[in-house]
Amino acid sequence: MPPFLLSLLLLFTISVPFSSCIAVGEVITCSGIVPMKYRNDKISIADFGGVGDGKTLNTKAFREAIYRIQHLRRRGGSLLYIPPGVYLTESFNLTSHMTLYLARGAVIKATQDTWNWPLIAPLPSYGRGRERAGGRYMSFIHGDGLRDVIITGENGTIDGQGDVWWDMWRQRTLLFTRPNLVEFVNSSGIIISNVIFRNSPFWNIHPVYSSNVVIRYVTILAPLDSPNTDGIDPDSSSNVCIEDSYISTGDDLVAVKSGWDEYGIAYGRPSSGITIRRITGSSPFAGIAIGSETSGGVKNVLVENINLYNTGVGIHIKTNIGRGGFITNITVTDVHMENVRKGIRIAGDVGDHPDESFNPNALPVVNGITFKSIWGEKVQQPGSIQGLKNSPFTGICLSNINLHGEPGPRSSPWKCSDVSGSSLQVSPWPCSELTSPYQTGSCSGNF
């Protein structure tokens, strides 16, 4: 039996509700929310004329192979095997009940012919392309309205060859919003694991309006100066499990989103039930972020066991006037950061607007945010928590936090405004607005 088939037989296959966590060899994981499936039907891209020489355009082979999976509808779905080699292709759509399996040494590489790149409609919760008015370029690997899709393998690579898109952004010659590397829209039962993602034109992995998504054992890489190359952005999605991954990109490593200003408010779909666990990486922007597009609301997020280095902001919760929505029941615990410009930031003045039609009276509600067991070294500024005058941030709970600067003169103090909450065992000592736990009960259950 070929090694890739044997490895599939051994993959973990149990499923549990999202609210449950399972321990495998004493490692807690949420990945059981989506069962890993073995596909009896297997085909290779070579069967459809795929050539892995790095020069031949394989768009026809990918589209024909996926068409075959879609229309033959084998019981239990089908596996599309990508053997070692470099397979140049234009963008393509996946289909339900399929596994895209990249062998070790397999590379699916995006063409840099931007003129023929397909356009799709803007997301309704954004109202327009995120960068440019109008539509947006389709993601390199795309799925819309799908069920039961797996992208996995033996750490093969999906390479977006994004430098041509980054140059267009820098030169201000973009006609529409750049394509994501992988995007699932209105989909469920998605697994992305054991794959390397490189050089995305824009965001790397973007599940939007989706549920029951597992992203695990991935590596995501892009140059530190590559614009807007967020690692993983769950967006108006629920029951998302992000674990055991390394990310080094030019923007936020993980950013939870839910729509943009009046469009996100009207669409009204929150992100909820999201676990972000055992992530390591570096970024000139945020390690773990929520926002700034949070107009549909973000709730019930657990962030734990995070290691960050050479990062702009360790943990960044960001929103703005006109966003509306809510950010609530967020827990961040067991974080280590080193050589970070700012440890923790919660801000109500971050992010741009899609147009001039946003409502300045649509103020976000931020409350129930817990940070605990956070350690930082070489942290230039420990943190800032700055709410909005007409919508103060409440229930901000800090405990067992040590954010140390460079040896020598005392580092910059915390900065706070329009905020209330509590703190316990925090060094350097935070703002007076965050009183001791004995003076308020808002955080008594979090210490």
Side-chain angles (χ1 to χ4, degrees):
M1 179 179 291
F4 85 93
L5 296 185
L6 180 60
S7 65
L8 288 176
L9 284 171
L10 298 175
L11 284 168
F12 197 53
T13 59
I14 70 170
S15 177
V16 296
F18 178 80
S19 57
S20 302
C21 282
I22 56 176
V24 182
E26 299 183 355
V27 175
I28 301 298
T29 178
C30 51
S31 60
I33 61 171
V34 184
M36 180 66 79
K37 292 188 176 180
Y38 175 76
R39 313 285 191 191
N40 286 308
D41 184 55
K42 303 167 191 68
I43 57 177
S44 171
I45 195 66
D47 300 336
F48 297 84
V51 179
D53 61 3
K55 299 177 182 178
T56 302
L57 194 63
N58 290 280
T59 309
K60 184 173 182 287
F62 276 100
R63 292 178 181 172
E64 287 185 356
I66 294 167
Y67 181 89
R68 184 264 196 196
I69 294 172
Q70 180 181 9
H71 290 275
L72 284 186
R73 297 182 180 178
R74 298 296 193 193
R75 185 173 182 177
S78 298
L79 180 146
L80 175 57
Y81 177 68
I82 313 301
V86 179
Y87 297 85
L88 186 68
T89 178
E90 297 172 327
S91 61
F92 58 90
N93 286 281
L94 301 176
T95 190
S96 293
H97 310 298
M98 75 166 286
T99 296
L100 179 64
Y101 190 98
L102 287 80
R104 186 174 301 278
V107 180
I108 302 175
K109 182 172 284 191
T111 176
Q112 291 190 312
D113 180 5
T114 63
W115 291 104
N116 291 324
W117 207 282
L119 287 171
I120 57 175
L123 293 165
S125 59
Y126 284 74
R128 45 159 279 184
R130 186 59 184 83
E131 299 183 287
R132 295 287 183 267
R136 59 200 185 103
Y137 293 107
M138 188 179 89
S139 64
F140 175 48
I141 297 178
H142 196 76
D144 193 342
L146 304 186
R147 304 290 179 269
D148 176 26
V149 180
I150 300 169
I151 301 175
T152 190
E154 304 161 48
N155 291 319
T157 298
I158 296 173
D159 187 346
Q161 291 210 99
D163 54 329
V164 64
W165 297 97
W166 308 333
D167 288 343
M168 291 167 65
W169 178 86
R170 294 178 182 118
Q171 295 161 10
R172 301 185 178 183
T173 57
L174 274 173
L175 299 177
F176 301 96
T177 296
R178 287 171 283 161
N180 301 311
L181 195 54
V182 175
E183 179 176 79
F184 286 97
V185 185
N186 290 312
S187 298
S188 67
I190 307 300
I191 298 175
I192 302 174
S193 72
N194 300 91
V195 175
I196 299 169
F197 298 88
R198 286 185 179 274
N199 301 323
S200 176
F202 195 51
W203 302 343
N204 276 268
I205 301 175
H206 185 221
V208 57
Y209 317 145
S210 294
S211 62
N212 297 330
V213 177
V214 173
I215 303 169
R216 196 175 187 219
Y217 300 134
V218 301
T219 299
I220 303 176
L221 304 172
L224 295 179
D225 64 348
S226 57
N228 311 106
T229 50
D230 295 25
I232 304 170
D233 287 2
D235 196 342
S236 292
S237 292
S238 59
N239 292 0
V240 180
C241 173
I242 302 168
E243 290 183 330
D244 302 301
S245 296
Y246 176 81
I247 307 172
S248 177
T249 61
D251 212 313
D252 301 343
L253 304 184
V254 179
V256 181
K257 302 176 182 290
S258 67
W260 201 12
D261 284 9
E262 68 268 27
Y263 304 104
I265 294 170
Y267 197 77
R269 181 162 176 174
S271 279
S272 65
I274 295 175
T275 299
I276 303 165
R277 177 187 285 129
R278 295 187 298 272
I279 303 299
T280 297
S282 64
S283 163
F285 288 90
I288 307 297
I290 295 175
S292 71
E293 306 92 329
T294 55
S295 299
V298 175
K299 62 182 179 180
N300 305 337
V301 177
L302 171 64
V303 179
E304 64 178 355
N305 300 118
I306 307 297
N307 287 283
L308 305 170
Y309 62 95
N310 301 339
T311 296
V313 181
I315 309 296
H316 195 181
I317 297 174
K318 46 187 174 176
T319 184
N320 207 342
I321 61 169
R323 290 287 192 265
F326 55 84
I327 302 173
T328 187
N329 194 21
I330 312 298
T331 299
V332 180
T333 182
D334 295 301
V335 177
H336 181 269
M337 57 183 78
E338 184 173 353
N339 194 24
V340 171
R341 189 173 68 249
K342 181 173 292 190
I344 295 169
R345 185 184 185 199
I346 309 177
D349 61 351
V350 176
D352 55 351
H353 303 285
D355 50 43
E356 297 302 316
S357 298
F358 74 92
N359 178 4
N361 296 315
L363 301 180
V365 174
V366 177
N367 92 307
I369 314 295
T370 298
F371 295 91
K372 57 185 178 180
S373 300
I374 297 176
W375 182 272
E377 302 174 59
K378 300 180 182 178
V379 178
Q380 293 180 26
Q381 205 249 331
S384 65
I385 305 174
Q386 296 177 300
L388 297 169
K389 181 178 180 181
N390 294 321
S391 185
F393 297 170
T394 61
I396 309 301
C397 309
L398 310 178
S399 67
N400 190 24
I401 295 174
N402 290 274
L403 298 172
H404 303 288
E406 294 278 6
R410 187 175 180 85
S411 62
S412 301
W414 287 75
K415 295 181 180 179
C416 297
S417 61
D418 301 303
V419 59
S420 65
S422 299
S423 57
L424 178 68
Q425 296 179 338
V426 177
S427 175
W429 187 247
C431 331
S432 59
E433 292 90 340
L434 300 175
T435 58
S436 78
Y438 307 106
Q439 293 175 286
T440 177
S442 64
C443 298
S444 58
N446 297 312
F447 293 142

